[in-house]
Amino acid sequence: GAGVSQSPRYKVAKRGQDVALRCDPISGHVSLFWYQQALGQGPEFLTYFQNEAQLDKSGLPSDRFFAERPEGSVSTLKIQRTQQEDSAVYLCASSSVNTNTGELFFGEGSRLTVL
Amino acid sequence: TQLLEQSPQFLSIQEGENLTVYCNSSSVFSSLQWYRQEPGEGPVLLVTVVTGGEVKKLKRLTFQFGDARKDSSLHITAAQPGDTGLYLCAGVSGSARQLTFGSGTQLTVLP
């Protein structure tokens, strides 16, 4: 497709399970971002990749969160030993430029519910 | 903690009314963007402002960037039900590489 694709759209996990969320950015986009969004709130930054390099992971809330983009295209956000407070929508965005003023193109998000 | 505070948090108005949404910060931003997000979708860019005092118009939407580049406003004239959504401002300050989003304004326009 032409846009950013995320999967799964919905994920229900039991507390303690590991989950993996996938992001397919727009082809050729250099920059990729992961954000976490609570209901009715603005997205909160998690991590940023430029090609395959993870340049900023300052927003990852704990060491249970891990992201990778090994070939500079598809990215995976992994959450280990999920907790209820991890319940949120996880948004992936990509940009064609490696600066911070370019337009971000967002996927529809992956809604994670931890029971 | 959001660096960008938006107000009001919720706004419900009748079709045809005008409204203004505010985005404020104590930080200076090199640029500021406004996005609109509908339920179940990701945010979609409306506009980018980069110069202090800049005003941009997009049909019935008017965006203004404060002279000091610390604040911005979005004014909608003659609101329509299709304007309903979560409006988000976002900017980059200092040496940060990523956009920081505001807390959002949930707008509902009733027919």
Side-chain angles (χ1 to χ4, degrees), chain B residues 45-111:
Chain B
L45 180 68
L46 296 173
V47 76
T48 300
V49 286
V50 296
T51 305
E54 183 176 1
V55 177
K56 279 192 174 179
K57 291 191 176 183
L58 185 67
K59 297 183 180 179
R60 295 178 292 101
L61 278 60
T62 301
F63 304 85
Q64 186 165 7
F65 200 12
D67 291 340
R69 292 185 291 140
K70 292 183 179 182
D71 56 88
S72 182
S73 64
L74 159 59
H75 182 79
I76 302 178
T77 58
Q80 299 176 359
D83 296 327
T84 294
L86 180 67
Y87 287 81
L88 297 160
C89 62
V92 178
S93 65
S95 61
R97 297 174 181 267
Q98 75 280 3
L99 279 176
T100 295
F101 280 83
S103 44
T105 293
Q106 180 62 55
L107 171 65
T108 302
V109 181
L110 303 170

Side-chain angles (χ1 to χ4, degrees), chain B residues 9-69:
Chain B
Q9 186 177 0
F10 298 97
L11 186 57
S12 181
I13 61 171
Q14 293 293 134
E15 182 177 2
E17 292 183 353
N18 302 331
L19 68 112
T20 302
V21 174
Y22 300 92
C23 174
N24 295 290
S25 176
S26 58
S27 301
V28 174
F29 290 89
S30 55
S31 67
L32 199 138
Q33 299 180 343
W34 284 91
Y35 287 79
R36 187 176 81 190
Q37 185 178 21
E38 298 188 19
E41 304 289 329
V44 175
L45 180 68
L46 296 173
V47 76
T48 300
V49 286
V50 296
T51 305
E54 183 176 1
V55 177
K56 279 192 174 179
K57 291 191 176 183
L58 185 67
K59 297 183 180 179
R60 295 178 292 101
L61 278 60
T62 301
F63 304 85
Q64 186 165 7
F65 200 12
D67 291 340
R69 292 185 291 140

Side-chain angles (χ1 to χ4, degrees), chain A residues 9 33 35 37 40-45 48 50 55-56 58 91 99-104 106-108, chain B residues 1-2 9 30-31 33 35 37 40-43 45 48 86 88 92 96-99 101-104:
Chain A
R9 287 292 313 278
F33 301 81
Y35 284 83
Q37 186 175 28
Q41 298 294 313
E44 298 263 4
F45 170 77
Y48 160 59
Q50 183 176 314
L55 298 187
D56 190 340
S58 62
L91 292 167
T99 67
N100 46 40
T101 56
E103 177 179 0
L104 292 188
F106 283 87
E108 294 176 318
Chain B
T1 303
Q2 308 272 172
Q9 186 177 0
S30 55
S31 67
Q33 299 180 343
Y35 287 79
Q37 185 178 21
E41 304 289 329
L45 180 68
T48 300
L86 180 67
L88 297 160
V92 178
R97 297 174 181 267
Q98 75 280 3
L99 279 176
F101 280 83
S103 44

Side-chain angles (χ1 to χ4, degrees), chain A residues 33-100:
Chain A
F33 301 81
W34 283 98
Y35 284 83
Q36 181 189 59
Q37 186 175 28
L39 186 63
Q41 298 294 313
E44 298 263 4
F45 170 77
L46 293 177
T47 187
Y48 160 59
F49 290 86
Q50 183 176 314
N51 295 307
E52 69 278 4
Q54 189 174 20
L55 298 187
D56 190 340
K57 54 181 181 179
S58 62
L60 296 177
S62 78
D63 58 8
R64 296 186 296 104
F65 286 71
F66 172 76
E68 60 184 3
R69 194 187 184 196
E71 298 179 0
S73 56
V74 172
S75 177
T76 303
L77 175 66
K78 297 179 180 179
I79 309 174
Q80 297 177 323
R81 304 181 304 282
T82 52
Q83 303 294 315
Q84 285 187 325
E85 61 262 29
D86 300 335
S87 296
V89 174
Y90 291 86
L91 292 167
C92 174
S94 68
S95 176
S96 61
V97 295
N98 57 13
T99 67
N100 46 40

